[in-house]
Amino acid sequence: MSWQRYCSTSASTEVAGADFARVLQSGDIVLLVGSLGAGKTTFVKGVARGLGVRERVTSPTFTIVRQHECDNDLGIKTLHHADVFRVESLDEVFDLALGELVEESGVAFVEWGNLAVAVYGPDVVRVSFAVDDVDGRFLTVDGQLAERRSSPLDEWARA
């Protein structure tokens, strides 16, 4: 089962991220899959806004993981934003300990998540980004964890 939403601009990709924040629960790991420039960081900026992050959100390419304090009514206190593009092995992804970090009222978003799926297993949400010929994006959400969130994802996809 999967859900899809089309975003014609980077602004609408950010709005899709903000709307996606309502799907999340503490402990979630979300793997972001897509080519360079597909909108992964833009989507996370929207999620951060939806979770009440007040600070600027940028790509964690060189720092690997950035943590942002959240202020929301969802019980999510920390957004962990990771980028594993420069990571050279699955051991390095495992050493990030994102699974443990989200246990403390957090959620984790992992850019280049296709490299991390072997570490986090099937109980994740995957958001895939595909760019079309006019620079819009198709966002497709799937994964075992997503299937347990079908009602809020139905709403997200209809927006």
Side-chain angles (χ1 to χ4, degrees), residues 18-125:
D19 292 346
F20 190 81
R22 298 316 256 165
V23 174
L24 298 169
Q25 294 178 12
S26 181
D28 287 354
I29 295 178
V30 180
L31 305 180
L32 306 174
V33 178
S35 61
L36 190 63
K40 297 179 295 295
T41 300
T42 301
F43 183 78
V44 175
K45 287 179 183 181
V47 170
R49 187 170 38 115
L51 292 176
V53 172
R54 290 187 175 90
E55 63 194 5
R56 184 171 175 244
V57 174
T58 60
S59 175
T61 299
F62 296 103
T63 57
I64 302 179
V65 179
R66 292 186 190 271
Q67 297 175 339
H68 303 280
E69 185 177 324
C70 303
D71 182 17
N72 58 69
D73 61 356
L74 302 170
I76 297 170
K77 296 181 181 176
T78 309
L79 167 64
H80 305 278
H81 181 197
D83 184 329
V84 297
F85 182 73
R86 297 189 182 280
V87 173
E88 295 182 12
S89 72
L90 287 178
D91 286 339
E92 288 182 67
V93 175
F94 185 77
D95 288 344
L96 296 176
L98 291 173
E100 294 171 19
L101 292 175
V102 297
E103 291 175 359
E104 301 295 323
S105 302
V107 294
F109 280 73
V110 183
E111 295 193 32
W112 301 98
N114 52 320
L115 303 173
V117 71
V119 172
Y120 300 114
D123 200 24
V124 297
V125 174

